[in-house]
Amino acid sequence: DAGVIQSPRHEVTEMGQEVTLRCKPISGHNSLFWYRQTMMRGLELLIYFNNNVPIDDSGMPEDRFSAKMPNASFSTLKIQPSEPRDSAVYFCASSLVVTGGSPLHFGNGTRLTVT
Amino acid sequence: DQQVKQNSPSLSVQEGRISILNCDYTNSMFDYFLWYKKYPAEGPTFLISISSIKDKNEDGRFTVFLNKSAKHLSLHIVPSQPGDSAVYFCAAKRRDDKIIFGKGTRLHILP
């Protein structure tokens, strides 16, 4: 079990550039979540998918943010154009939702720095 | 509007003693509550959960207590060990599977 794989681990970019973060969930999991961690706001839920369909994107801060899940094994989070306030650690997590409190399995995150 | 609140940013506990981490929530629509542990440069890892119909769940050194009337839950770690030093996140799951996290509490276990 390789776990949730995120790439890149670190991303440094200039303001105005497009940033794409990638996530490969655990095989067989049917839900995928994108979170952002900052000192001020902790772990914020940005968007989550169930069976590749976006269920709730109310946490996506602005239209500059978009997320896709073209198939069960891949998701992207894109920021275009990026701004310094987007600097944070972005986590992807997946779970097998059947019933009950199915725990999330997190990747190790992408640390984004926008200068 | 924070639906899951961890009001203590940090906590220091002597090794061998009990660590108690607290969490409050505002939404009665949560059906599960979970605790996660996070080390630096890693993603959070699942620790223990409790259904909203229970008031206690125990797993080894970890016990979670749920007080529905007070909308409060707590994580007890006993005895505390050096490896328990980490950030602990409280999380709540809605029936539509949306999972909301608190801001976390940094636990320091002192030798």
Side-chain angles (χ1 to χ4, degrees):
Chain A
D1 181 2
V4 175
I5 299 172
Q6 290 187 247
S7 63
R9 284 300 309 269
H10 301 273
E11 176 80 42
V12 180
T13 190
E14 290 185 349
M15 182 174 66
Q17 297 297 306
E18 176 179 299
V19 174
T20 299
L21 311 181
R22 296 173 175 78
C23 176
K24 178 177 166 50
I26 292 173
S27 177
H29 281 189
N30 57 2
S31 285
L32 183 140
F33 299 72
W34 282 99
Y35 286 88
R36 175 171 72 175
Q37 185 186 16
T38 60
M39 289 292 290
M40 290 296 294
R41 302 173 72 90
L43 266 172
E44 296 176 88
L45 176 63
L46 301 177
I47 185 171
Y48 74 103
F49 297 82
N50 197 10
N51 293 320
N52 312 339
V53 175
I55 302 300
D56 187 332
D57 66 354
S58 60
M60 296 285 261
E62 302 170 28
D63 291 346
R64 297 184 296 106
F65 285 69
S66 63
K68 293 182 180 179
M69 191 163 187
N71 57 61
S73 59
F74 185 65
S75 176
T76 59
L77 178 68
K78 186 177 292 187
I79 308 172
Q80 165 64 18
S82 57
E83 296 182 4
R85 60 189 165 130
D86 301 332
S87 298
V89 181
Y90 290 80
F91 287 103
C92 174
S94 69
S95 72
L96 176 61
V97 177
V98 181
T99 56
S102 308
L104 294 177
H105 298 261
F106 281 82
N108 283 330
T110 294
R111 180 174 293 278
L112 173 65
T113 303
V114 183
T115 59
Chain B
D1 175 28
Q2 257 202 304
Q3 298 184 51
V4 179
K5 298 179 185 178
Q6 293 177 259
N7 292 319
S8 298
S10 67
L11 175 68
S12 294
V13 175
Q14 208 75 36
E15 182 180 353
R17 301 286 187 122
I18 184 171
S19 294
I20 300 176
L21 297 126
N22 293 303
C23 178
D24 298 296
Y25 61 95
T26 58
N27 190 331
S28 298
M29 298 303 291
F30 296 130
D31 62 352
Y32 271 86
F33 300 90
L34 309 96
W35 285 94
Y36 285 78
K37 177 179 177 179
K38 184 183 180 304
Y39 292 120
E42 295 182 9
T45 55
F46 171 72
L47 206 52
I48 191 170
S49 65
I50 187 168
S51 163
S52 61
I53 62 173
K54 302 282 179 94
D55 53 22
K56 179 182 175 181
N57 187 27
E58 190 172 352
D59 183 1
R61 295 187 299 115
F62 303 93
T63 303
V64 56
F65 295 92
L66 176 61
N67 182 334
K68 285 185 287 296
S69 61
K71 291 191 172 65
H72 177 84
L73 65 153
S74 60
L75 174 68
H76 292 212
I77 306 172
V78 56
S80 301
Q81 298 176 353
D84 296 331
S85 293
V87 177
Y88 289 79
F89 289 97
C90 171
K93 188 185 87 65
R94 292 187 340 194
R95 288 177 176 80
D96 62 356
D97 296 320
K98 183 171 182 176
I99 300 177
I100 299 170
F101 284 78
K103 288 188 178 180
T105 297
R106 185 177 298 277
L107 176 64
H108 300 271
I109 303 302
L110 306 171

